Amino acid sequence: MNVLFPALRDGSPAPALRFGDRALDYRQLAAVVGPLTERIGAAAPGGGAARIAVWATPTLETSVAVVAALLAGVAAVPVNPKIGERELAHILADSAPALVLTEPDAALPGPLAALPRLDVEIPAEPSEETTPHPLPLEPGDESPALIVYTSGTTGAPKGVVLPRRALAHTLDALAETWQWTADDVLVHALPLFHVHGLILGVLGPLRRGGSVHHLGRFSTEGVARELSSDGTMLFGVPTMYHRLALEAGENPALAKALGRARLLVSGSAALPLTDHERLLAATGRRVIERYGMTETLMNTSVRADGPDATGTVGGPLPGVYVRLVDDAGQALEVSDGETVGEIQVRGPNLFTEYLNRPDATAAAFDGGWFRTGDMAVRDPAGNYRIVGRRATDLIKSGGYKIGAGEIENALLAHPGVAEAAVTGEPDEDLGERIVAWIVPVTVTGPDAAPPPSSQELADHVASQLAPHKRPRIVHFLEALPRNDMGKILKRDLRAPAPPAGAGHA
């Protein structure tokens, strides 16, 4: 049995969590979490078979809820607070949570509001003198810890079952690679419903006995303030680092704050080399990148104490095995920085299964190797550089991995859409922006409704899924290019001369 948070059981007086002006040290966190684990256990009997939903707002309550669920041995399902109705309905039907944990007074959407609710109560002014509360024995390493849903690249989102073993291994491997200790103070403003913000950004500091300062909402001013104080590490996505890079060259205070950080880490998508160069020129610090997936947690990273590997995601983490394979599935031994292969991974960082999807779980593995679908090259130093997806249907925008298939399905649900395809194209700020290619419904007659506008379709997708999944550009076509089997040929999509109604959304 692996104790996930030793400092919590030791009653350490060190700072643990801070969100804005609200904070808990480890003694206070234990005093809040202890009774909550008992309430979770009573409301969700069944131990490792039970599941609970967590309304994952960027708050102290979300962090407390997830820690309590982990200690109670009940798998937590983080729910994006901006989720669309259809996606939410699918996740709840698939995971069947016994209840939902949320901050008090939160207004939950209909399907979630129908579940039994458990509010996470945190005293406005936690007492410095706390009475130790007994914490339950933690379950085994293979016990489900979190169920995080994918982006639905080829259909409905799949629930990735992450065992406690995968969490502990990834966080310990990163600690060795990044020299991450209890003395570190992590600063970030990442959402808490996916791996980057929740597992790395909250559970990571707690695993080390260090602390996290969450900004609530990203701002360059907030980053400068925290790193000028006691912050030692910064986690972000390329969109955030792009804004920091642009401003650091004109803002000496921001540049100085970034320069004093021990570690700047970017993830969830590739950071453009131009932003690497801008940040290095302004701050004297290099940003390091790492590579992971929901199913694998972290696979590779540039080392904090290693040579410059800008433009790569580094080499395999301790205990993780990574290989490249060709189209026939044969391992590629070459490390020339040019030969492209698909990344496959094996190790204790892997997920257990896709919830309720044994077919998808079996298809995801090549023997004991997980097929990532990501294509990369390996340089002579053993560093990997990601070059893209094997498929064309994964879009990385604003730090999110977004599946084209679910957006296409949402667009096709609009009464004015006859056919739809979705692609990504480069965007300096977002990494990629979502582009929709639409064949509108042809209706004639005096009562015919006009075709939908770009903004109407963007709003429709945002309401069905989530705002960050809306198309930024919409092209209207007379037909989509298809092969003899009827499959859309996305590589043949071409923007027409701008017709009325086309444009940015």
Side-chain angles (χ1 to χ4, degrees):
M1 182 188 71
N2 195 321
V3 174
L4 286 179
F5 312 117
L8 192 62
R9 292 185 177 275
D10 293 343
S12 166
L17 301 169
R18 195 177 86 192
F19 284 72
D21 296 330
R22 305 173 66 211
L24 294 172
D25 63 30
Y26 281 92
R27 291 176 301 184
Q28 295 164 340
L29 179 57
V32 174
V33 165
L36 187 57
T37 61
E38 296 178 354
R39 296 174 66 191
I40 291 172
R51 294 184 283 270
I52 61 172
V54 176
W55 188 237
T57 55
T59 60
L60 197 57
E61 283 79 7
T62 295
S63 304
V64 169
V66 171
V67 171
L70 290 171
L71 295 182
V74 177
V77 183
V79 178
N80 177 359
K82 296 183 179 179
I83 197 168
E85 290 185 6
R86 184 166 65 183
E87 196 169 350
L88 175 60
H90 166 73
I91 289 173
L92 295 183
D94 190 54
S95 61
L99 71 154
V100 57
L101 268 65
T102 181
E103 59 191 300
D105 302 322
L108 302 179
L112 208 56
L115 291 176
R117 172 174 175 154
L118 183 55
D119 285 353
V120 178
E121 303 280 357
I122 300 175
E125 297 184 4
S127 172
E128 294 293 334
E129 299 296 330
T130 57
T131 302
H133 191 286
L135 299 176
L137 291 176
E138 298 185 36
D141 291 347
E142 295 302 316
S143 176
L146 293 166
I147 300 174
V148 181
Y149 276 80
T150 65
S151 298
T153 306
T154 56
K158 298 188 288 289
V160 177
V161 180
L162 294 168
R164 296 165 61 88
R165 169 255 305 159
L167 271 63
H169 178 85
T170 278
L171 296 177
D172 291 348
L174 290 178
E176 196 278 330
T177 303
W178 294 344
Q179 284 83 61
W180 194 351
T181 74
D183 294 328
D184 279 306
V185 176
L186 172 63
V187 177
H188 75 88
L190 299 164
L192 301 188
F193 51 84
H194 59 37
V195 167
H196 195 173
L198 178 60
I199 298 178
L200 273 60
V202 172
L203 304 185
L206 297 181
R207 174 78 171 164
R208 304 270 65 81
S211 63
V212 56
H213 292 182
H214 196 285
L215 301 177
R217 186 182 186 88
F218 174 79
S219 71
T220 57
E221 295 82 6
V223 169
R225 180 186 67 247
E226 295 300 330
L227 292 182
S228 295
S229 178
D230 54 355
T232 65
M233 301 168 63
L234 176 68
F235 286 179
V237 297
T239 301
M240 297 174 180
Y241 278 107
H242 176 66
R243 296 172 188 172
L244 290 168
L246 291 178
E247 188 170 327
E250 307 294 332
N251 184 338
L254 174 61
K256 182 178 180 181
L258 291 167
R260 70 183 299 276
R262 187 183 71 78
L263 200 65
L264 305 174
V265 182
S266 180
S268 298
L271 182 64
L273 287 175
T274 52
D275 290 327
H276 274 289
E277 293 164 356
R278 286 169 178 159
L279 285 162
L280 178 61
T283 71
R285 303 292 298 181
R286 295 188 182 276
V287 179
I288 69 171
E289 296 186 81
R290 84 299 182 280
Y291 163 65
M293 301 178 68
T294 305
E295 292 92 337
T296 66
L297 299 186
M298 294 301 108
N299 302 311
T300 72
S301 179
V302 175
R303 291 189 64 91
D305 59 351
D308 176 30
T310 299
T312 80
V313 294
L317 293 174
V320 178
Y321 297 88
V322 179
R323 71 177 184 180
L324 297 180
V325 299
D326 60 19
D327 289 342
Q330 297 300 306
L332 294 170
E333 303 300 335
V334 64
S335 298
D336 58 3
E338 295 181 1
T339 304
V340 177
E342 181 188 358
I343 297 176
Q344 293 190 349
V345 181
R346 66 181 175 89
N349 55 316
L350 295 186
F351 74 128
T352 302
E353 63 178 341
Y354 292 117
L355 186 65
N356 303 322
R357 292 290 305 276
D359 55 337
T361 304
F365 284 88
D366 177 6
W369 294 89
F370 175 73
R371 300 183 171 107
T372 68
D374 286 317
M375 309 300 288
V377 300
R378 183 175 52 232
D379 69 20
N383 296 311
Y384 289 81
R385 178 170 60 86
I386 310 297
V387 299
R389 291 289 292 175
R390 177 179 291 279
T392 60
D393 291 330
L394 193 71
I395 302 166
K396 295 181 178 180
S397 182
Y400 296 98
K401 294 180 180 179
I402 302 168
E406 63 175 344
I407 302 175
E408 290 164 354
N409 289 333
L411 287 166
L412 290 169
H414 189 284
V417 174
E419 298 180 75
V422 169
T423 60
E425 67 179 28
D427 184 278
E428 186 176 9
D429 189 38
L430 296 171
E432 285 185 292
R433 55 180 169 263
I434 298 169
V435 181
W437 306 78
I438 300 298
V439 177
V441 171
T442 302
V443 180
T444 58
D447 297 326
S453 67
S454 299
Q455 190 62 54
E456 180 181 352
L457 292 177
D459 291 343
H460 171 74
V461 171
S463 69
Q464 290 291 307
L465 302 176
H468 68 266
K469 297 181 180 180
R470 70 188 186 280
R472 305 288 178 144
I473 297 176
V474 179
H475 296 297
F476 292 91
L477 306 176
E478 293 182 359
L480 298 178
R482 297 177 182 271
N483 64 13
D484 292 340
M485 298 297 291
K487 182 178 180 179
I488 298 172
L489 300 174
K490 293 189 176 182
R491 65 178 181 272
D492 293 339
L493 287 167
R494 299 288 185 272
H504 291 260

